[in-house]
Structure formats: C-alpha cells, structure tokens
Amino acid sequence: MAGLYMHIPYCRRKCIYCDFYSGGDRRARWQELADASLAELQSRKSEVCGDFETLYLGGGTPSLCPDSELRRLTAGLRSICGERWNVSEATIELNPDDVTDERVEKWQEAGFNRFSLGVQSLCDEELAAIRRRHDAATAVNAMELLMQTGCDVSVDLMYALPGQSRRSWQHSLDRVAAMQPQHISAYALMYEDGTALSALEKQGKIRRASDGEYIAMYCTLIDTLSAAGYEHYEISNFALPGHRSRHNSSYWQGMPYIGLGPAAHSYDGDRARRANNPDIEGYLASKGICVPHQTEHLDDAMLLDEFLLTRLRMCEGFAVDDFRSRFGKNNTQRLIAEVRKEMPHGGIEMTAEGTVRLTRQGVMTSDSIILDLASVLS
Ligand code: SF4
C-alpha cells in the first residue's frame, strides 16, 4: 500500500498562527500547478511500491482550486497511476466559507469521498482572534451540507486559543460532537517562530495559555469525545468506530507515500525522506521535472526514533516482538521495564500480550516519554 499527497500552496489570507507553506491565491497559477504535479507524479511514481490506496489533497486551501482544474487533476492522477490506482479514501481539505451545495457536488464528481473541514472553533470571537475567514454559523452550515452527502467528514478543532476559556472550548466540543461527524482532529495552538501570533505574544498583545490550561483543555477534549462515542486512536485524532483516517494512519504506521507540490514531503517506506523545496515559483519553473528538493537518509538511530515517535502516537502502541525484530534488541523488554520504574505517574504500560503503549497520563507528556525511551533503547 502507498499513499498519495498533494500540497495546494495557496490561501486567501494567512491565519496568524500558521507556518504551513502557502502564498496568496490572487497570484495562483492553477493550471501550471496541476500540470507540474501530474508531471512530478509521472516521473516519481516508481519511487514507492504497491498500489496507491489513499489520496489526500492538503494545503494551503485546496477548496480554492477551481472545480474544472480539480477534476482534470484527479483524472490525471488516476490515469498516471493506471493499474496501481486502488484509491478507496480520497480526502480534500476545505475551508467552511468555500462549502456550497454546488461545490460539494463538484468535489464528489472529482472523486473525493472524504471531507476535512477546518472549523477550529465555534466561537466567533476566537475565530476572529486567529484571523480565520469564517464564523461559527458558516462552519455549522458547512458541516451540515457535507454530512448530507453520506461521505466521511473530519472536523479540525483547536484549543488553547487566545481568549478561549474551558467553558467556550466545551461549548465548541459539545456542538461538534452532537453533530457526530465521523472524525475529529484537535490540536493545541502552537506559537511557531516567525508567525504573527508569536510577534503579538512578544508585544504583550496576546497571552499564551499556561501549561495547566493546555492540559485541562486536552482532558476536556478526551472526556467529551469519549463520552460521545469517539475512539481516541491517536494523540490528536478521534473517530467513530470504523472511521479512522486511513491516509494519516499510514503515516504513523511507516507506510510509503509520495508528496507532490511545493513543500510536500515523501517517504519511501524504508530509509529515504524527501521534502520538496517550499518555493512555488521554483516548483512551477521546474514543470514537475527534477523538482528542487532535499533528501534525508535515515540511519539506524533515526529509524528507531521515528518508530517510537510514530507508533506511540497510536493507541495500539507497538509490539515488543516487532521492535526486537526490526532493531535486533534482545533486551527490549527489560529496558522498557526499567524506564517504566523511573516514571512516577506510569506514562507507559506493557500489556500481557507484549504491547507497549502510552497511558492516559503518558499521552499528556508523550514528547518527554518518547525521548526517554529512545535514549534507553538506542
Ligand atoms: S487556511 Fe490553513 S494553511 Fe491557510 S493560512 Fe490558514 S491555517 Fe494556514
């Protein structure tokens, strides 16, 4: 199995927290972008083995792409993959204010059967504070329209936003959970260097939530969605039974994927990671042939770190036997037991079947636990 990702590098305007690579859509060259992406796939499809089973159009804002161009793009991807096209999950990311009856139909005609909607919050003040284009009513309308299609809908939410209280976070969660979209992703607001958000914080115009507030909101998230029937299958992801994201799960399971477009990442499923340069003009100038990029070759230590980082994000964790056979460490079980003893609140557990996974407490401090484990096991 392999995944196919395409990055749409345009947004109508920049949200203040965003450090994803994107440029303004007024200068978008949609036709050239589609042509270059198709040429890139043609020249790189043999980098991974197996059928392409998932497609993910992310960004940026894919819902800005004109419908005719989108249709040409997906038809082209399908034709280039030929017999290897076995896509059962095709996701497109959408901004709520782009969602209309007519466009939903066009996205389905283009082959998409899963919609990822950037709701973020259902409080107008919070949406305005992070400079999102939509308001809460628009987001709810978009969810309703998308859910009528019978396709899977994934809703993105954010917490620890400027001015957000536990009560307003609970309000957003309750409203979204009551609508029962098949999938919910929820991320804490991060203060990335170089963003307008970080600048505002430095100027004292925005107060960053305290560690205690982050943890309290994360607990509210887990409790609310668990009570509403969602499975907490990855640190930031929740799904109704049978509706996990196959595309994103394949990242966490170390499966290969090809990323097309400026700033897109790829992984060959073995030791090579590739990142296309974050440069729209350079990408278009390449016409998809010899796209400017960086490649990183993973050594044994990096592979081990990645294994822990990705597998422990999932609620299943990893099997000690699998770890042992990949990395040849015969004393894995003993080392993990030693790490566990050092953790005062029991951040990881080992099941009777030999699976290692984070506990609920461990999920809150996953980064430091994974670092501890990596240093002992490497
Ligand atoms: S719409 Fe998404 S990609 Fe575009 S600026 Fe906002 S957060 Fe970033």
Side-chain angles (χ1 to χ4, degrees), residues 42-112:
Q42 183 69 57
S43 64
R44 295 186 49 216
K45 64 182 176 183
S46 58
E47 286 177 14
V48 299
C49 301
D51 286 358
F52 291 100
E53 295 188 10
T54 60
L55 168 67
Y56 196 103
L57 215 65
T61 311
S63 49
L64 291 176
C65 184
D67 298 328
S68 56
E69 219 41 72
L70 200 57
R71 206 181 162 125
R72 188 172 73 86
L73 179 69
T74 49
L77 296 174
R78 197 176 299 123
S79 144
I80 290 167
C81 292
E83 289 183 354
R84 291 176 64 200
W85 182 269
N86 195 10
V87 170
S88 58
E89 180 190 279
T91 305
I92 180 169
E93 288 182 353
L94 310 171
N95 258 20
D97 54 353
D98 292 324
V99 178
T100 62
D101 265 331
E102 194 193 349
R103 297 211 68 207
V104 170
E105 222 170 273
K106 300 283 183 203
W107 293 322
Q108 286 183 277
E109 281 169 19
F112 293 99

Side-chain angles (χ1 to χ4, degrees), residues 201-216:
E201 188 199 16
K202 281 186 195 127
Q203 293 160 17
K205 293 182 178 161
I206 275 182
R207 183 187 73 82
R208 189 193 292 235
S210 66
D211 287 352
E213 286 167 318
Y214 270 98
I215 289 176

